[in-house]
Amino acid sequence: MNAKARLSVATACSLLAAAIAAQIPAGAAWAVLGSASDFTGTAGQAPISAAHLGWKPRLLNDGDTGLVTEGEKVVTVLDQPTQPGKNVGPVDQELLVSTYDSAEVTGGAYTVNAGLTLRTPAEVAAGS
């Protein structure tokens, strides 16, 4: 691709991003949510509830706007609560990443992951 073609593609992308941003209502927000279900085995063992899974979202790239933020740590049912009633694992809609100004972050690229923790009682048999 020559320099003129690259410039045309970049210009087209910028115009598209501006057109999309213009269609986003003021105050619009977005969020990426996650949840988990129980862990089930294939050997007839009791399931391990999703409450035994915890996660810590990590925003690796916020697109240089500072307007995208990671969610809070979700601890397991076996951990001390970080907030009252919050040690339930990701059994509902837990926040991974969000923004409160969608128009300002349109066209950006964002990278997020989460550190996962699975805590079970000691008597839970190991799996493979």
Side-chain angles (χ1 to χ4, degrees):
M1 181 183 302
N2 64 34
K4 186 175 182 181
R6 278 192 296 265
L7 180 59
S8 295
V9 170
T11 302
C13 289
S14 294
L15 291 172
L16 179 59
I20 292 170
Q23 295 177 22
I24 298 173
W30 58 258
V32 177
L33 306 173
S35 64
S37 58
D38 292 350
F39 296 87
T40 58
T42 59
Q45 64 271 50
I48 299 171
S49 77
H52 288 86
L53 180 68
W55 77 359
K56 172 64 176 106
R58 288 184 290 234
L59 182 62
L60 304 176
N61 172 7
D62 69 358
D64 298 326
T65 65
L67 297 174
V68 177
T69 57
E70 61 194 32
E72 294 182 7
K73 180 178 182 179
V74 176
V75 297
T76 75
V77 69
L78 298 178
D79 293 319
Q80 292 294 319
T82 53
Q83 297 176 6
K86 290 297 270 181
N87 62 327
V88 296
V91 296
D92 198 4
Q93 296 183 351
E94 298 295 340
L95 179 64
L96 182 62
V97 64
S98 67
T99 185
Y100 292 101
D101 196 345
S102 295
E104 289 296 318
V105 299
T106 300
Y110 314 98
T111 306
V112 64
N113 68 16
L116 301 176
T117 303
L118 181 63
R119 296 197 196 286
T120 63
E123 62 271 10
V124 172
S128 59

